[in-house]
């Protein structure tokens, strides 16, 4: 695997340009408790703890006597300074003992001074730290080569003192050239470096000023010649050595001494590759014999491995899992990814989370040339950053359903990752908003890594819920974490979903009571509110039906009041004084068609089914019971099958007969006379009943006291004039009302007008004669019509009822509805009901007005007249499509009332 090597030339959190003007800031000198300095061979290392935190800037100045020189990246490489900083501000500054501004005493004692300036954004303070360190180092080899992060350094002993113990008598590759002295005119030239020739491999000659301007460093110490070159310059070149790419600088240096002109050949070769990553291990391969540096055979005297510029002994290497080994061609350093001497960094290419690992191993060699016996110390400081590695944080679902809270642990993440927001099904919440809602907790570990614990109650709106079973709730929490890698502010996200199931559903329940006339039903909502539909008997509870039954709600309960005569009530049985009625209530969930609750309430209600009159008349009421579902009340008869109900509907049959008629039998019991008759199904209709249904028979009877006498007082006063009935026409107390629905139990009040109806929606009207209970009268609707204006004679008008019958010219024919007796309707003949589909007046396809008024003329007839006109729409028909105009008897009263206003919704 190829690896990208990150050579940190000079890292600053904010780039500081030499000579750039700074705003006036207050200098704040502080002690150096958090700064550590160490001498390590030919380097001094300065370690700072987290001074480069996000938002801070760092400047480094070299102390040169009373001067402070700002170290720019170029000057640092030229003068032997380098810096390594991790993303969190932990910083190491390396200074070569042969650096430009180091106070050197005989190449043995070195005084180093640095000034650190730290700027905090948004403040005027500058934190300044002055650091000085004295290092002692005398174990110089004849030639020392250092491969630092941002430069290559070669120093060679000039032979002006005792040679290295390994190389006594051998000063290295130094040549005297007295011939060139004559050309140089030594008397006119100061002693020191004159010029340099770089070989790439073609020679390039530069004078010393040109060398410095090109970014190279060249100087002499009391005993050594020192040259530095940055990487990747015009005078360096690459060479492959044993499969490892090396950067090479080769230079010949000309300098003058009191003894004459000297030429010193210097060469450095530094690895820029040779790293592989496999199975969590970094392998760094360095050529065992670095051929550009060798002119003959050598013997390796010392071999050391270290980290961050410091040597490690065998025990230290073993404890960290590091190995240093050699093969025929390579020296191999192996380091496990994740060792404590390196650090991980977060990345988010293409919005995906990745990690890299950075560590800085050091290799130090000392070898001696067998032919010249000159020794070379070779040191490489080599930062390694692995390729990006996809990282998948652990997701732990720690939800316990019984606790009613989702618990999700997400991590581990590095401390350079911040959670920005979380996207739920309802939208995006910032991390601060999640904290405010109590959703989020951040848990940090001692190494700076972190995990996030998300806790979301099942009851929160961000949780999706559904019920796979009536008592089971499935909770589902989809979410997406939005993160930001700092300080780059690179976003990435992770999406996941957790679910849980819990038997936590409380079903709705029904209970009820009765009084003498009404069922009182209460529905208590369950844990999911009103998520159900209600069936009353065989009908669904609609808003319209709810208004009929006085429905009320308070958010937790629903209440209804149903008369026992309602269509949704079933009759189980009845006797002469009561009827047993039952109301069935079903609560069901419509999406899955689940039955949530079933309730039945049966009560006995007072109902007189037989009345005995002193004039020998009996009235009987027969009720259709549930056990005979196919019974048709109007097919019932007395024993004499010609005696049929004088009124019937779908549930009741009313009989009125004389005790001496219709097959009534009589039996004496002491002083009582019992009259008895049976109500049963007409024989001719029995063929239409189900063979499994029982026979229907209802026995009615009356007791009369035999030989009972009653006294009646009267005054026999002759009349002057015999009474006679005046026949006339006039305004009577007749009322027309609009019902809420076809049950005719509730009606719109005055404050409800104008009533809103949709086009073609049925409107249910009732016309009643008030303040009369005469069963011998009947109310007949003679004519009804609609107008645009409130005035009943205004035009245009449209006929609804004509001569007591529906208007045959209307495509939506008026429908007459039967009237049965109940607690409100005592005499059904005094009421008429009809419905008409709502319409509007149109002219040239334009609606003239969105309101209409309904008017009627009512006729009051005497049922004893027997002339046949006192029946609604009962008359002979002439030609097809024409109706014979019936004559109005002088014994009828004509009446009209109105108006009713309807506001149409278009």
């Amino acid at each position: 695997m190829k690896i990208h090597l990150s050579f940190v030339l000079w890292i600053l959190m904010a780039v500081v340009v030499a000579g750039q003007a700074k705003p006036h800031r207050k200098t704040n000198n502080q002690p150096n408790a958090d700064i550590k300095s160490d001498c390590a061979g030919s380097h001094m290392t300065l370690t700072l703890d987290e001074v480069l935190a996000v938002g801070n800037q760092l400047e480094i100045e070299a102390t040169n006597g009373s001067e402070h020189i700002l170290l720019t990246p170029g000057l640092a490489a030229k003068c032997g300074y380098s810096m390594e900083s991790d993303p969190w501000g932990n910083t190491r500054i390396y200074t070569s003992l042969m650096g430009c501004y180091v106070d050197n005493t005989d190449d043995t004692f070195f005084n180093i001074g640095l000034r650190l300036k730290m700027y905090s954004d948004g403040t005027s303070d500058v934190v300044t730290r002055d650091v000085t360190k004295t290092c002692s180092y005398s174990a110089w080899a004849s030639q020392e080569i250092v491969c630092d992060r941002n430069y290559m350094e070669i120093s060679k002993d000039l032979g002006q003192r005792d040679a290295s113990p390994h190389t006594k008598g051998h000063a290295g590759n130094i040549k005297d050239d007295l011939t060139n002295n004559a050309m140089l005119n030594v008397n006119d030239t100061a002693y020191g470096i004159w010029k340099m020739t770089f070989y790439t491999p073609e020679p390039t000659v530069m004078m010393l000023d040109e060398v410095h301007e090109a970014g190279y460093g060249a100087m002499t110490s009391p005993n050594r010649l020192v040259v530095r070159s940055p990487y990747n310059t015009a005078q360096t070149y690459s060479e492959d050595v044993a499969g490892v790419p090396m950067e090479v600088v080769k230079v010949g240096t000309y300098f003058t001494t009191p003894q004459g002109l000297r030429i010193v050949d210097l060469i450095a070769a530094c690895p820029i590759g040779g790293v592989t990553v496999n199975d969590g291990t970094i392998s760094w391969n360095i050529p065992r014999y670095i051929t550009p540096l060798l002119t003959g055979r050598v013997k390796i005297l010392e071999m050391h491995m270290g980290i961050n510029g410091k040597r490690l002994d065998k025990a230290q290497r073993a404890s960290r899992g590091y190995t240093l080994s050699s093969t025929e061609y390579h020296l191999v350093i192996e380091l496990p990814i994740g060792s404590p001497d390196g650090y991980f960094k977060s990345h988010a290419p293409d919005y995906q989370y990745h990690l890299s690992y950075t560590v800085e191993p050091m290799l130090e060699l000392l070898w001696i040339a067998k032919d010249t016996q000159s020794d070379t110390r070779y040191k490489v400081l080599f930062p390694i950053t692995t390729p990006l590695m996809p990282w998948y944080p652990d997701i732990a679902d720690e939800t316990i359903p019984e606790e009613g809270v989702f618990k999700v642990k997400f991590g581990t993440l590095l401390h350079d990752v911040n959670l920005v927001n979380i996207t739920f099904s309802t939208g995006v919440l910032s991390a601060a908003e999640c904290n405010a809602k109590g959703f989020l907790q951040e848990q940090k570990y001692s190494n700076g890594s972190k995990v996030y614990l998300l806790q979301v109650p099942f009851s929160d709106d961000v949780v999706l819920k559904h019920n796979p079973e009536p008592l089971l709730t499935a909770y589902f929490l989809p979410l997406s974490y939005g993160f930001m890698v700092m300080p780059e502010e690179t976003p990435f996200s992770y999406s996941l979903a957790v679910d849980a199931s819990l038997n936590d559903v409380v079903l709705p329940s029904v209970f009820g009571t009765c009084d003498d006339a009404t069922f009182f039903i209460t529905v208590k909502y369950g844990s999911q509110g009103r998520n159900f539909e209600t069936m009353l008997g065989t009908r669904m509870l609609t808003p319209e039906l709810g208004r009929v039954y006085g429905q009320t709600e308070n958010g937790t309960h629903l209440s209804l009041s149903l008369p026992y005569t309602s269509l949704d009530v079933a009759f189980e049985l009845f006797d002469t004084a009561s009827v047993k009625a039952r109301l069935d209530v079903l609560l069901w969930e419509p999406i899955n068609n689940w039955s949530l609750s079933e309730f039945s309430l049966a009560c006995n209600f007072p109902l007189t089914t037989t009345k005995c009159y002193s004039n020998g008349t009996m009235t009987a009421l027969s009720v259709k019971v549930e056990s005979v579902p196919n019974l048709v009340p109007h097919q019932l008869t007395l024993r004499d099958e010609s005696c049929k109900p004088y009124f019937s509907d779908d549930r009741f049959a009313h009989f009125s007969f004389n005790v001496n008629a219709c097959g009534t039998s009589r039996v004496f019991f002491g002083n009582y006379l019992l009259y008895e008759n049976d109500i049963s199904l007409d024989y001719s209709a029995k063929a239409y009943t189900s063979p499994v249904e029982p026979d229907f028979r209802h026995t009615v009877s009356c007791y009369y006291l035999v030989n009972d006498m009653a006294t009646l007082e009267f005054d026999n006063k002759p009349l002057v004039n015999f009474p006679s009935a005046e026949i006339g026409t006039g305004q009577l107390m007749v009322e027309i009302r609009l019902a809420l629905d076809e049950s005719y139990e509730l009606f719109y009040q005055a404050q409800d007008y104008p009533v809103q109806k949709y086009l073609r929606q049925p409107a249910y009207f009732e016309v009643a004669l008030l303040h009369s209970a005469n069963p011998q009268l009947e109310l007949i609707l003679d004519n009804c019509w609609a107008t645009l204006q409130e005035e009943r004679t205004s035009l245009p008008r449209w006929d609804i009822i004509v001569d007591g019958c529906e208007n045959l010219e209307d495509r939506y024919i008026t429908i007459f509805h039967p009237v049965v007796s109940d607690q409100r309707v005592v005499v059904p003949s005094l009421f008429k009901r009809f419905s008409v589909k709502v319409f509007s007046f149109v002219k040239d396809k334009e609606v003239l007005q969105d309101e209409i008024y309904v008017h009627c003329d009512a006729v009051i007839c005497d049922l004893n007249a027997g002339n046949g006109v006192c029946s609604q729409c009962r008359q002979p028909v002439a030609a097809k499509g024409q109706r014979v105009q019936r004559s109005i008897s002088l014994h009828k009263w004509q009446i009209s009332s109105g108006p009713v206003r309807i506001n149409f919704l278009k």
Side-chain angles (χ1 to χ4, degrees), residues 21-39:
K22 286 287 182 182
H24 176 71
R25 297 179 186 245
K26 180 181 178 182
T27 301
N28 181 10
N29 290 294
Q30 295 188 6
N32 299 331
D34 53 356
I35 299 178
K36 182 180 179 182
S37 58
D38 294 293
C39 299

Side-chain angles (χ1 to χ4, degrees), residues 99 136 294 637:
S136 174
L294 306 177
T637 68

Side-chain angles (χ1 to χ4, degrees), residues 741-804:
D741 55 28
E742 59 185 336
S743 68
Y744 288 94
E745 293 185 358
L746 293 177
F747 296 85
Y748 292 104
Q749 305 301 313
Q751 64 270 19
D752 298 327
Y753 288 86
V755 173
Q756 293 184 347
K757 293 286 185 180
Y758 291 101
L759 200 64
R760 304 309 176 203
Q761 181 181 2
Y764 299 95
F765 293 93
E766 180 182 270
V767 182
L769 176 62
L770 304 181
H771 310 304
S772 176
N774 188 348
Q776 304 304 317
L777 299 180
E778 180 160 0
L779 173 69
I780 302 297
L781 297 179
D782 195 31
N783 293 287
C784 291
W785 65 97
T787 64
L788 282 174
Q789 307 300 326
E790 187 174 357
E791 175 58 44
R792 58 191 285 115
T793 60
S794 63
L795 296 176
R797 63 174 273 172
W798 182 257
D799 291 329
I800 298 173
I801 296 175
V802 179
D803 295 335

Side-chain angles (χ1 to χ4, degrees), residues 58 291 369 411 460 474 579 655 710 809 852:
L58 174 66
T291 53
D460 199 275
V579 60
F655 292 88
E809 297 179 3
I852 65 170

